[in-house]
Amino acid sequence: MGGIGFVATYLEYRNKGVMKAIMIDALERMRHHGQTISVLAPYSTSFYRHFGWELFQEQLQFSCELSTIGADPKLMNEVKRTSFDRVNAAVWHDIKQFHNPLANSRDSMMQRSDA
């Protein structure tokens, strides 16, 4: 089985075939490795249906107040990009010190390693 998750691209690259190229490459690699089954959680059923996937589950929906997950509405939709090669070891250490304890207290968050 091959799994695909969190497929995304920067906004400025949307509608330029980037996602389609990534998906085709992923499927070709899975086929090459003998993976005849693949699973993903689609953001758009019609987009992934184009590549041959179909739903096996109707819908799972969660709702909660922003206050219950600690989101600050003033910081919503803010994206800051940086190059990984510009971040030194001390900064990575600080990021992990902040992120990992937070990830332990929430569902679906991954622990960050040095890699």
Side-chain angles (χ1 to χ4, degrees), residues 1-15:
M1 188 209 78
I4 296 178
F6 303 107
V7 179
T9 185
Y10 290 136
L11 293 174
E12 59 266 27
Y13 293 105
R14 287 203 178 153
N15 299 315

Side-chain angles (χ1 to χ4, degrees), residues 2-108:
I4 296 178
F6 303 107
V7 179
T9 185
Y10 290 136
L11 293 174
E12 59 266 27
Y13 293 105
R14 287 203 178 153
N15 299 315
K16 295 185 179 181
V18 174
M19 297 304 297
K20 182 176 182 177
I22 289 171
M23 295 303 297
I24 289 171
D25 184 64
L27 291 170
E28 287 173 351
R29 288 172 188 238
M30 283 184 225
R31 182 178 295 134
H32 176 76
H33 287 80
Q35 296 168 316
T36 57
I37 298 172
S38 59
V39 178
L40 63 101
Y43 77 93
S44 165
T45 303
S46 63
F47 177 81
Y48 290 104
R49 212 173 247 149
H50 172 78
F51 293 100
W53 277 285
E54 190 50 69
L55 294 176
F56 69 91
Q57 167 183 331
E58 283 298 315
Q59 184 176 3
L60 180 63
Q61 182 175 337
F62 296 96
S63 62
C64 62
E65 296 296 322
L66 284 177
S67 60
T68 63
I69 58 172
D72 183 347
K74 294 179 289 214
L75 300 176
M76 299 295 282
N77 299 320
E78 183 177 323
V79 176
K80 293 181 181 179
R81 295 183 190 159
T82 186
S83 173
F84 288 117
D85 59 354
R86 287 194 236 161
V87 181
N88 65 36
V91 173
W92 283 122
H93 176 76
D94 291 346
I95 290 171
K96 287 191 312 183
Q97 291 295 334
F98 169 79
H99 175 84
N100 287 342
L102 185 65
N104 283 336
S105 68
R106 299 202 172 142
D107 291 334
S108 302

